[in-house]
Amino acid sequence: MAGYDNQLEAEASTDAAVGPELAAELPALESTGTQPTRLIHAAGLSYFPVAFVARLPFAMMVVGVLTLVVAARGSIALGGITSAAVGLGTALLGPVLGMAVDRFGQRRVVLVAAIGNSLALLAFAWAAFAPVPDLALLGVAFLVGATAPQVSPLSRSRLVGIIQTALPRGVRAKTLNGTMAYESAADEIVFVFGPVIVGLLATTMNPAAPIIGAAVLTLIFVTAFAFHKSSRVASDAQTTDAAARAPFRELLKPRMLVLVLGVLGMGFFFGAMLTALTAFMDEVARPEEAGVLYGVMGIGSAILALSAAAFSPRFSMRARWLVFSLALVAGAVIAASATTIPVMILALALGGIGVGPTLVTIYGLVAARTPAGRSATAMTIAGSAIIVGQASSSAFVGILAEDAGAQLALLVPLAAALVVLLAGATNWVISSRDATR
């Protein structure tokens, strides 16, 4: 991978249509044979709907577990702790899954994860109502998180591999930037509507229905994701022999860790905002509308994420992170002082402007900075950071809102937004230092 010391020169260049940092850092992998010029042809048209639906169970897990435990055991505190156990499982085993993918390829690893996760979800749906101790329930929740296939980061890794090996070099930077924009928009949609689906299934059918539904979706669509022909196209970029694969310590350098901190902060923000917003709407006697209001942020975020592909190359990646995280902080400040629904809607709309483009930027930098042969590992670490942040902040804010009320709980999304801004500022310093060297 090209050195980041050329970043400032790359940022000043106007040859690349989009994403100068990406153009500077993309590995110069060569391909053979006839090359398609568009990602949709290289990956296959059916790939995108399959990958989109396959990521829904991951977005449903944390909220589904929380909803089921509260309904079955009658304890919000236990529900929060159980959700945190899901996040812990993902945090500890998610990167291991990524390392296995980098060594063996996606097909076998994802298939095993899909089967294991389906069984774990069904076991959790049974255990919630069964006469088993809370500790056993926490153990099953840990398995749910540990076996999560994490389609979202693996989709990013797969598409990055296809771009690097199957497309002409002249279109790689622009295609990668557009792909990160699409992937972030897709994440926004599923992370917003995942909780909505959970709520609809739980209220119209049974509290266990979201978890059972997630198990069925995992078995069908994640398996389809594993067997899709695109997994073969990307395998050359993802299965590297031990001699060519960069050591794991390369992922622990500051330029990579600051990106993990950024996505962790976004996870904190997602979980804290949804939970605090639910508490806020409960205090104004309209709790059933919390999901609708949350959608205001998600829809705007998805639109801006897609628009990120059209940003000028002069608007550098590190500058985008700072600008849009400031919008995130501004939205969180208004939300923390909101006392009426219209003000909260304004806060969510402003925050949504910052969410999508910030995620696009961070994931784009993850793709660009990933050491050789570590694509799936890096992406799953980032994906795990989001779910860990979401689960832990949901648990914390749930307890805080129950004890101290919504106004105090709404300070937590602001703290999370400040973490994202701090990570962006740190990234600016690190990239400037690298460029100087």
Side-chain angles (χ1 to χ4, degrees):
M1 185 169 295
Y4 208 70
D5 54 333
N6 296 323
Q7 181 185 21
L8 291 186
E9 290 85 350
E11 284 179 1
S13 170
T14 57
D15 317 21
V18 182
E21 288 104 328
L22 302 185
E25 293 201 73
L26 276 175
L29 301 180
E30 298 300 330
S31 57
T32 59
T34 304
Q35 288 181 300
T37 58
R38 298 179 62 191
L39 180 60
I40 195 168
H41 296 146
L45 182 61
S46 62
Y47 173 80
F48 294 95
V50 168
F52 181 84
V53 179
R55 71 185 75 201
L56 263 175
F58 194 68
M60 295 167 61
M61 281 194 322
V62 173
V63 179
V65 164
L66 175 63
T67 302
L68 177 56
V69 171
V70 172
R73 302 283 174 122
S75 171
I76 296 177
L78 178 62
I81 295 171
T82 309
S83 296
V86 174
L88 180 63
T90 302
L92 295 180
L93 275 298
V96 175
L97 182 144
M99 286 187 282
V101 167
D102 281 329
R103 182 169 183 178
F104 302 110
Q106 287 197 14
R107 180 163 292 185
R108 286 178 288 176
V109 177
V110 173
L111 180 61
V112 171
I115 296 171
N117 193 238
S118 298
L119 294 175
L121 286 166
L122 292 175
F124 187 85
W126 169 82
F129 291 101
V132 299
D134 293 345
L135 187 61
L137 190 64
L138 291 174
V140 180
F142 179 86
L143 289 177
V144 168
T147 57
Q150 298 195 59
V151 172
S152 179
L154 291 181
S155 176
R156 284 182 171 89
S157 175
R158 183 181 298 191
L159 294 179
V160 168
I162 292 172
I163 291 167
Q164 292 173 354
T165 58
L167 298 185
R169 291 196 59 184
V171 302
R172 289 178 189 172
K174 182 175 182 178
T175 303
L176 180 60
N177 201 25
T179 300
M180 292 301 106
Y182 163 76
E183 287 286 313
S184 294
D187 282 349
E188 283 300 304
I189 293 170
V190 297
F191 270 100
V192 168
F193 291 103
V196 175
I197 294 172
V198 168
L200 289 174
L201 291 176
T203 54
T204 59
M205 298 178 68
N206 183 281
I211 295 298
I212 296 173
V216 173
L217 287 175
T218 297
L219 193 59
I220 296 173
F221 285 94
V222 177
T223 299
F225 175 81
F227 279 102
H228 194 272
K229 66 177 184 178
S230 58
S231 63
R232 290 188 179 275
V233 180
S235 62
D236 289 342
Q238 293 174 330
T239 55
T240 339
D241 58 46
R245 193 179 305 121
F248 185 81
R249 65 176 178 273
E250 292 294 318
L251 294 171
L252 302 179
K253 290 188 174 181
R255 64 202 302 268
M256 294 299 297
L257 291 179
V258 72
L259 305 180
V260 176
L261 178 62
V263 289
L264 179 65
M266 294 303 301
F268 286 147
F269 183 81
F270 288 145
M273 180 55 79
L274 178 58
T275 308
L277 177 62
T278 302
F280 173 84
M281 295 303 290
D282 185 55
E283 289 188 358
V284 297
R286 295 167 72 174
E288 70 282 355
E289 297 180 16
V292 177
L293 259 66
Y294 190 68
V296 171
M297 182 180 74
I299 293 172
S301 174
I303 293 172
L304 264 293
L306 288 172
S307 301
F311 290 159
S312 166
R314 293 184 179 274
F315 189 11
S316 69
M317 303 283 278
R318 58 182 184 170
R320 294 179 198 180
W321 190 341
L322 286 178
V323 168
F324 289 108
S325 59
L326 282 171
L328 188 70
V329 171
V333 168
I334 297 175
S337 59
T339 55
T340 64
I341 292 178
V343 174
M344 182 58 75
I345 291 175
L346 174 63
L348 293 170
L350 182 56
I353 292 174
V355 170
T358 302
L359 278 176
V360 171
T361 300
I362 298 175
Y363 272 114
L365 288 172
V366 171
R369 295 179 183 178
T370 298
R374 292 291 183 180
S375 175
T377 307
M379 288 296 181
T380 49
I381 288 174
S384 298
I386 285 186
I387 201 71
V388 168
Q390 183 193 31
S392 58
S393 62
S394 294
F396 174 74
V397 174
I399 296 172
L400 182 64
E402 191 174 281
D403 293 341
Q407 286 304 122
L408 188 59
L410 283 166
L411 292 175
V412 182
L414 174 57
L418 290 172
V419 170
V420 178
L421 178 61
L422 174 63
T426 306
N427 176 70
W428 181 284
V429 173
I430 290 173
S431 58
S432 296
R433 186 184 305 152
D434 288 349
T436 300
R437 281 203 299 268

